[in-house]
Amino acid sequence: MLQHHNDDTPMQQYQQQQQQNTDRVTSMDFLDPQSGHSTCRRAVSAEFTHLERDQPRCSAVDMPPPSFAESELLTIQRRQINPRFLEVNENGRMIKWVESSNSKSATGRKADEWEFAGWGSTYFLDVTRADADRASQRKGRTLVGVLRGIGIAGNDVVGSVFYAVGPVTVAARQYAPISLLIVSILLHPMKAIMNELAASLPFNGGAYVFFLNTSAKWVAGIMATLAVLDYMATSVLSAASATSYLSSQFALPSSFGVFPLTIAVIIVFGIITFLGVRESSTVASCIFLTHLITMTVLMGTALVHWIRNGNDILISNWQTPHPDTNVATLIWNGFCLGLLGVTGFESAEGYLEDLKPGAFPAIMKFMWICITIVNAPTTLLVMAVVPMGEVIDNPASSILTLAKAVSSNSPWLTYWLVIDAAIVLGAGVLTGMVGVLGLFERLSRDQILPPFLLIRNKWTGAFQYIIVFFMVLCITLYSITGGDVTSLSGVFAVAFLCVMISYAAANIMLYMNRPQLSRRSATRVPIFVTMTVFGILVGALVGNAVIDPSIFKTFAIYFVIVHAVLLAFMNRVWILRRILKITGAGAIALVPSTRSTPMKDMRQTLDEETLSDSANTGTGVDVGFGDDIKVPTDIVHLKNVGSSSASQRAVAPASDQEQALQTVEQEEVTEESTSSQLVTRGSHRLIKVFNSMLIKSMINSLRNHPVIYFTKSDSLTHLHRAIRYIRQNENSHKGNIRLVHIYRRAEDIPKRLEDNHRFLDELYPKIQIDLIFIQGTFDPDTIHAISQHLNVPKPAMFMSCPGEQFPYKIEEFGGARIIMD
């Protein structure tokens, strides 16, 4: 809560502190080198603090005459410090220091004056106790527990057994259970890595948010592209796999085949997502529990069949010769493909803000247990019950083959399994949609994607436009492939492995760049363990590329397209600048031909006279692409160029009427062409001017979203690093940076903070840098009140990394970003 420690206002406290600093400046007498008499000069800088106020005044004998450098320094200081007065806004809660003279002016080239953001000011903002109380009562999100949370990502994890067992068996042959067991072993430290990341930065967005708080924003943009590809491929492939299982056992009507049925699955689970996180997670958890029951029945039935029929099939499969005599190679190939069978394991990081406290570690632990007791044991049962040849001939239906073998050719278990597979694989669409909701929400809050995506449905509270957009995207992608999702399988494989690699890389960045950030109850993973996992995952990615080299080519095409769109949103200001430069160059480079003609000379003379008149009378429109270049606003008088020619035609000799007629026709054509060229030239100029003004307006509107940096000290290096980070990473926030210092007592304010702020404000003329003092404490309620007062979203609030002893959780600040140590 905010408390005032005395009856003085913040402005009065700070003025008293400044007056105390000024009182410490003493008067120094210097010897005039010309007259030899002592003269008194006032030191205008508070830096001379080594001179005490009660010291006797110096004399010409005690102090040598000042050097030329000292004299010049005092003169410069005296001229640069201007008196200021206070300006109070209407409600009296924002106090501003205003310069008494307009000595500052935009610097740089005249063509860049439109980019001058204006000079920053110093403010005092009064945040009251009532503001903090209202902030503490703000409404939170609807949170889900362990069971609902695991239902969202768990369906994708446990449903992967339907499409992972067969391909792994083909790659590793009889060693497939060993390969999948190694996958489970690798996921154990991976689970710890993801727990540490979630405990440190529990925000929606997955790897994008982790790199956003530990690295540059362009790196986070790459992670966002990988996540989009992962969610998109997961949704489309899940829907296609679900309909494929149905069509393999049931005869679909000709009017409603696999293609429209896949689109229908995407739409159905999109509607379920539209119900909201709590309702959709309830549906997902029911599907998850149903699938666990189904797999329990299948594995129990297969185990009983194995016991009754003995180990003959297992021994036969174990002794089956394989093309590669290198056992390690077979196990490695099976491991590389087996990693693709745990998709969904990475998805839980995408909706961390929707989980109850402490739910994420339990969700990761339960998913790891499910993978361990389902994938490898099911593969072992397949090896013990189904001959190797049948699995190799039909790897996509290996689980159905197992069901047929253990149910004595009775269709009941097969039908049950087909329906369960269709539902649980379709629920993978829900996993992708919930993940992309968290990612797109964060991208919109970071002002990368359009803000209308944050509009929630008034009945369900879901982000309706994100859901609709992602549904259209998935349906469009499936339509482009024509129903053949083979190419998407490669995109899915590379994107999933890259996302898993990014988590290990993010933990390394967290260890290097944010070592003091609190991990709360999560155990810190040793750096050598993280780097080992990172190396194994990279090796698995390379191994999949060796198995199928075409996947990287397909992935590269999709990655370039998606990342280009994301880069266009991230660098809108840069793109508009390039357009402005190109169109501006075209607007000025209307250079006439070097060939001289009488009509051309006349037109050039009129143009020069018009430009001269416009410059003298002040009329015209500034192009903004050169020194004092003006475009005349009235170009109608240029049409009069042909009038004199017409008057001259009236005196043409009538003796040769035919020749005169031809001459008149030629002159008319020349007149029309000349007039058309002049009008076109002027119109083009006006269009260029209008376009440049429009583009400049768009650039300024994008740049003028304010950003806040909470500063604790007056370190010039620290402040400069923060501003440089914003310049390099925030195209939408370059125009206005607000340095906010929260203090308890006026004497606690760093003495050089305002001076350094003024220096940085003049150093960056294209950025308006304001300094705001707020009395209070740095806590979540104060941050929320500041966000409301200054109308700055919390993702646009930056701060340095808090330490282990910081009393608050980082998620309590609503998404404020950490940009420096």
Side-chain angles (χ1 to χ4, degrees), residues 38-167:
S38 173
T39 60
C40 180
R41 300 182 180 181
R42 179 75 172 176
V44 296
S45 173
E47 293 296 314
F48 299 95
T49 57
H50 60 281
L51 297 176
E52 300 297 336
R53 186 175 182 178
D54 55 354
Q55 285 183 340
R57 295 169 59 91
C58 57
S59 62
V61 178
D62 297 330
M63 178 174 290
S67 65
F68 175 78
E70 292 173 340
S71 177
E72 288 295 303
L73 175 61
L74 293 175
T75 303
I76 293 173
Q77 289 176 329
R78 183 170 59 253
R79 290 179 177 177
Q80 288 198 352
I81 295 180
N82 298 318
R84 295 175 294 178
F85 61 91
L86 296 177
E87 180 182 280
V88 183
N89 67 351
E90 296 178 358
N91 58 18
R93 301 185 64 179
M94 180 74 82
I95 305 173
K96 176 182 178 182
W97 264 338
V98 183
E99 298 294 335
S100 61
S101 62
N102 296 326
S103 58
K104 296 180 179 180
S105 61
T107 59
R109 296 181 298 112
K110 186 177 182 61
D112 293 334
E113 287 185 359
W114 67 273
E115 291 189 286
F116 177 61
W119 297 109
S121 303
T122 300
Y123 299 88
F124 287 91
L125 177 62
D126 187 16
V127 178
T128 63
R129 184 192 303 270
D131 298 327
D133 291 340
R134 284 192 298 269
S136 62
Q137 298 173 0
R138 61 186 182 275
K139 185 179 179 181
R141 305 169 68 104
T142 301
L143 304 180
V144 298
V146 176
L147 182 59
R148 287 188 173 92
I150 196 174
I152 297 174
N155 283 318
D156 206 13
V157 171
V158 297
S160 63
V161 69
F162 288 108
Y163 56 81
V165 173

Side-chain angles (χ1 to χ4, degrees), residues 649 652-654 656-668:
R649 289 200 310 271
D656 195 348
Q657 296 181 357
E658 183 177 355
Q659 183 177 2
L661 181 61
Q662 293 178 355
T663 303
V664 170
E665 290 177 352
Q666 293 177 356
E667 290 181 350
E668 287 178 351

Side-chain angles (χ1 to χ4, degrees), residues 607-655:
D607 287 349
E608 293 173 355
E609 292 175 356
T610 304
L611 289 173
S612 177
D613 293 341
S614 299
N616 293 332
T617 59
T619 61
V621 181
D622 189 2
V623 179
F625 288 99
D627 294 338
D628 298 327
I629 294 182
K630 296 282 186 177
V631 175
T633 56
D634 184 10
I635 60 172
V636 180
H637 65 279
L638 296 180
K639 294 182 180 180
N640 297 331
V641 172
S643 299
S644 59
S645 178
S647 61
Q648 294 173 2
R649 289 200 310 271
V651 296
S655 58

Side-chain angles (χ1 to χ4, degrees), residues 168-481:
V168 173
T169 303
V170 173
R173 300 303 174 96
Q174 57 265 45
Y175 306 105
I178 300 176
S179 298
L180 291 176
L181 183 60
I182 297 175
V183 171
S184 299
I185 295 174
L186 176 68
L187 291 181
H188 189 272
M190 190 68 201
K191 171 176 64 70
I193 291 173
M194 297 175 68
N195 283 338
E196 183 178 355
L197 289 172
S200 304
L201 299 166
F203 303 114
N204 289 351
Y208 164 76
V209 173
F210 300 147
F211 277 90
L212 190 66
N213 286 271
T214 60
S215 182
K217 195 171 185 178
W218 67 268
V219 181
I222 295 176
M223 300 302 116
T225 302
L226 294 174
V228 170
L229 291 175
D230 181 32
Y231 295 138
M232 184 172 58
T234 296
S235 299
V236 176
L237 286 176
S238 297
S241 300
T243 56
S244 177
Y245 261 87
L246 281 178
S247 62
S248 65
Q249 298 297 322
F250 300 100
L252 300 178
S254 57
S255 60
F256 198 72
V258 174
F259 189 87
L261 185 58
T262 301
I263 296 178
V265 170
I266 296 175
I267 295 175
V268 167
F269 281 96
I271 295 174
I272 294 175
T273 309
F274 200 87
L275 298 177
V277 174
R278 186 176 183 84
E279 289 72 16
S280 60
S281 62
T282 301
V283 176
S285 60
C286 293
I287 296 174
F288 178 77
L289 294 176
T290 303
H291 176 69
L292 288 185
I293 295 173
T294 302
M295 292 305 300
T296 301
V297 173
L298 175 64
M299 295 176 67
T301 306
L303 181 60
V304 172
H305 184 276
W306 181 12
I307 294 173
R308 288 180 177 179
N309 293 274
N311 298 323
D312 294 339
I313 296 178
L314 179 62
I315 294 174
S316 175
N317 289 337
W318 185 262
Q319 294 176 350
T320 301
H322 47 78
D324 195 340
T325 57
N326 191 344
V327 177
T329 302
L330 292 176
I331 296 176
W332 173 255
N333 291 339
F335 167 78
C336 294
L337 293 177
L339 273 175
L340 305 179
V342 296
T343 174
F345 197 77
E346 85 288 5
S347 301
E349 296 275 14
Y351 52 93
L352 291 175
E353 296 180 34
D354 299 306
L355 298 176
K356 292 181 179 179
F360 182 79
I363 291 173
M364 298 303 296
K365 181 179 180 180
F366 199 73
M367 284 198 298
W368 177 77
I369 293 174
C370 291
I371 292 172
T372 304
I373 66 176
V374 171
N375 287 13
T378 303
T379 307
L380 179 61
L381 291 173
V382 171
M383 299 294 297
V385 176
V386 182
M388 181 71 69
E390 295 184 17
V391 178
I392 295 176
D393 293 339
N394 196 6
S397 302
S398 58
I399 302 299
L400 294 181
T401 305
L402 175 63
K404 293 177 181 179
V406 301
S407 60
S408 301
N409 296 324
S410 178
W412 68 272
L413 185 57
T414 303
Y415 291 154
W416 183 4
L417 208 62
V418 169
I419 296 174
D420 175 74
I423 295 175
V424 75
L425 289 175
V429 179
L430 183 63
T431 302
M433 286 192 173
V434 173
V436 86
L437 279 176
L439 177 61
F440 279 17
E441 176 194 359
R442 181 67 195 212
L443 290 173
S444 298
R445 292 174 64 191
D446 288 338
Q447 299 181 350
I448 296 176
L449 295 182
F452 74 87
L453 294 177
L454 295 176
I455 299 176
R456 292 180 179 267
N457 185 270
K458 62 180 180 179
W459 290 291
T460 65
F463 294 107
Q464 51 190 7
Y465 294 112
I466 298 179
I467 297 173
V468 172
F469 172 75
F470 189 69
M471 287 172 54
V472 172
L473 183 64
C474 291
I475 294 173
T476 303
L477 181 61
Y478 182 69
S479 302
I480 291 174
T481 61

Side-chain angles (χ1 to χ4, degrees), residues 17-18 21 24 714 747 749-755:
Q17 179 66 18
Q18 292 295 95
N21 293 337
R24 299 179 64 183
D714 58 358
E747 53 267 25
I749 298 176
K751 296 180 176 57
R752 297 196 56 83
L753 181 56
E754 187 203 353
D755 292 337

Side-chain angles (χ1 to χ4, degrees), residues 231 264 310 329 337 404 492 503 553 596-597 688 718 775 813:
Y231 295 138
T329 302
L337 293 177
K404 293 177 181 179
F492 160 76
Y503 288 147
K553 180 180 178 181
S596 178
T597 61
K688 296 291 184 181
H718 198 82
Q775 186 180 27
F813 290 89

